């Protein structure tokens, strides 16, 4: 057990160092990263499509990277907004890591991008432990998932800098207790903002864009109590996107993963993920590129 814990700490420490460096590179480019976490079917793709469309209407340069175990469905959908979109197929890996993100945006993310939305794999366990170099970490939950979601997944909600409730147009039909949900969020993450959205009605659409732009300009971002206990999840990020264009986007990364990553999560236990082989890079002029991770990656535990 000690070996597993030590390996987990080593993996996370390496990821944290990579995330720190990636954050510095993106800050120099004037790019703010928003990491979106949720369960499958929460409605984050629909909300993100609306956010991208709103950004395009306002002339804000944005891009989106979406990760799934299989299919290009989300990327095809998001590309309708006209924003640059990249699909990453993890083929079984249940989360993104900072190194993966760095490689996949290398030579793809357009210069001048102010906001990069990252739609993480639909999972509230594995992704919660991995800093991606983001400026703003957002956790979403739909009204159909129940008011106790924050208590069931305390790490995901406990490290959130913003909590978004989706599909509020269905709240009455499913008997969603908003007050109870808010109370449970505050129990695991005191002081974090909770915002309500109904993407199909356009309600709340644009909120993520506004928060990301403000954070990129140096506005204060919520620091969760849990993050104070784990310094690697504290992300100081104060800059003006208008003043930081010095990085020309000419950075290269060459990484090959081999071996097994062991992950111990307080919510579900321990499981392994084999990594082997290089990751492909997107062409910078292509708005939609599918990148497939090794097919040998282990299937995530429910």
């Amino acid at each position: 057990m000690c070996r597993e814990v030590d390996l987990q700490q080593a993996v996370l420490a390496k990821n944290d160092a990579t995330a720190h460096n990636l954050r510095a590179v993106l800050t120099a480019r004037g790019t703010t990263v928003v990491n979106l976490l949720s369960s499958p079917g929460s409605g984050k793709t629909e909300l993100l499509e609306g956010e991208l469309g709103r950004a395009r209407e306002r002339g804000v340069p944005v891009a989106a990277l979406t990760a799934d175990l299989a299919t290009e469905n989300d990327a095809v959908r998001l590309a309708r907004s006209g924003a640059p979109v990249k699909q990453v197929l993890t083929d079984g890996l249940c989360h993104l890591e900072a190194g993966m993100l760095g490689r996949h945006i290398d030579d793809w993310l357009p210069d001048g991008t102010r906001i990069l939305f990252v739609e993480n794999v639909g999972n509230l366990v594995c992704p919660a432990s991995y800093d991606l170099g983001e400026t703003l970490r957002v956790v979403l939950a739909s009204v159909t998932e129940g008011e106790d979601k924050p208590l069931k997944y305390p790490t995901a909600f406990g490290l959130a800098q913003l909590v978004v409730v989706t599909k509020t147009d269905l709240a009455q039909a499913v008997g969603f207790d908003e007050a109870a949900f808010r109370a449970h969020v505050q129990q695991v993450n005191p002081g974090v903002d909770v915002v309500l959205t109904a993407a199909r009605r356009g309600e709340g659409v644009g909120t993520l864009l506004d928060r990301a732009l403000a954070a990129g300009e140096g506005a204060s971002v919520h620091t969760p109590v849990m993050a104070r206990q784990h310094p690697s999840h504290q992300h100081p990020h104060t800059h003006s996107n208008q003043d930081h264009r010095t990085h020309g986007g000419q950075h290269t990364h060459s990484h090959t993963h081999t071996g097994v990553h062991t992950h111990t999560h307080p919510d579900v236990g321990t499981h392994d993920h084999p990594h082997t082989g290089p990751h492909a890079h997107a062409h910078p002029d292509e708005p939609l590129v599918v990148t497939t991770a090794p097919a040998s990656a282990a299937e995530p535990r429910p």
Side-chain angles (χ1 to χ4, degrees):
M1 183 62 183
C2 290
R3 181 182 177 84
E4 292 179 352
V5 171
D6 290 343
L7 180 57
Q8 165 70 0
Q9 292 174 343
V11 169
L12 291 178
K14 180 177 180 180
N15 181 82
D16 290 341
T18 303
H20 176 78
N21 293 335
L22 181 60
R23 186 176 293 108
V25 169
L26 291 170
T27 297
R29 292 182 63 165
T31 301
T32 298
V33 177
V34 180
N35 185 9
L36 304 176
L37 291 78
S38 79
S39 301
S42 68
K44 66 177 178 293
T45 303
E46 184 158 13
L47 179 60
L48 180 52
E49 183 179 10
E51 296 289 341
L52 294 175
R54 190 65 54 88
R56 298 280 291 180
E57 291 171 3
R58 293 170 53 180
V60 179
V62 295
L65 181 145
T66 181
D68 277 305
L69 276 67
T71 82
E72 304 170 32
N73 295 350
D74 287 352
V76 171
R77 181 176 179 179
L78 294 176
R80 298 185 304 196
S81 68
V85 175
K86 184 172 185 180
Q87 177 78 59
V88 174
L89 299 182
T90 67
D91 197 23
L93 190 63
C94 62
H95 63 278
L96 288 174
E97 297 176 9
M100 295 169 62
L101 179 62
R103 289 190 300 278
H104 285 303
I105 65 175
D106 194 25
D107 296 328
W108 165 74
L109 188 66
D111 289 338
T113 300
R114 291 188 64 186
I115 309 294
L116 171 62
F117 289 101
V118 177
E119 184 180 13
N120 219 314
V121 179
N123 184 341
L124 283 176
V125 181
C126 308
S129 298
Y130 288 85
D131 180 5
L132 298 184
E134 71 264 18
T135 301
L136 186 63
R137 175 177 290 214
V138 182
V139 174
L140 302 88
S142 70
V143 298
T144 60
E145 296 177 67
E147 299 83 3
D148 60 348
K149 204 75 171 183
L151 302 182
K152 290 182 175 180
Y153 299 92
T155 301
F157 283 89
L159 289 173
Q161 294 166 301
L162 180 67
V163 174
V164 175
V165 179
T166 61
K167 305 183 183 181
T168 56
D169 49 325
L170 302 177
Q172 184 174 1
V174 299
F176 179 69
D177 187 336
E178 180 185 337
F181 179 85
R182 288 180 178 273
H184 293 154
V185 169
Q186 295 304 314
Q187 184 174 334
V188 299
N189 193 347
V192 70
D193 284 347
V194 177
V195 300
L196 307 180
T197 66
R200 289 192 175 183
R201 294 181 178 178
E203 297 174 6
V205 175
T207 300
L208 293 182
L209 177 62
D210 290 339
R211 294 293 185 107
L213 288 171
E217 295 296 338
S220 177
V221 175
H222 172 68
T223 301
V225 173
M226 188 177 294
R228 297 171 197 155
Q229 299 167 351
H230 302 279
S232 63
H233 287 281
Q234 297 184 31
H235 308 148
H237 191 86
T238 56
H239 68 83
S240 169
N241 281 297
Q242 302 302 322
D243 299 332
H244 292 77
R245 304 293 182 195
T246 58
H247 194 288
Q250 301 301 316
H251 59 286
T252 58
H253 303 278
S254 178
H255 300 284
T256 301
H257 285 228
T258 59
V260 177
H261 288 184
T262 300
H263 307 296
T264 303
H265 298 284
D267 302 329
V268 297
T270 302
H271 54 283
D272 297 338
H273 295 303
H275 284 206
T276 177
H279 293 264
H281 296 281
H283 190 283
D285 298 327
E286 296 176 350
L288 171 61
V289 180
V290 177
T291 305
T292 306
S296 61
E299 194 71 16
R301 299 176 71 175

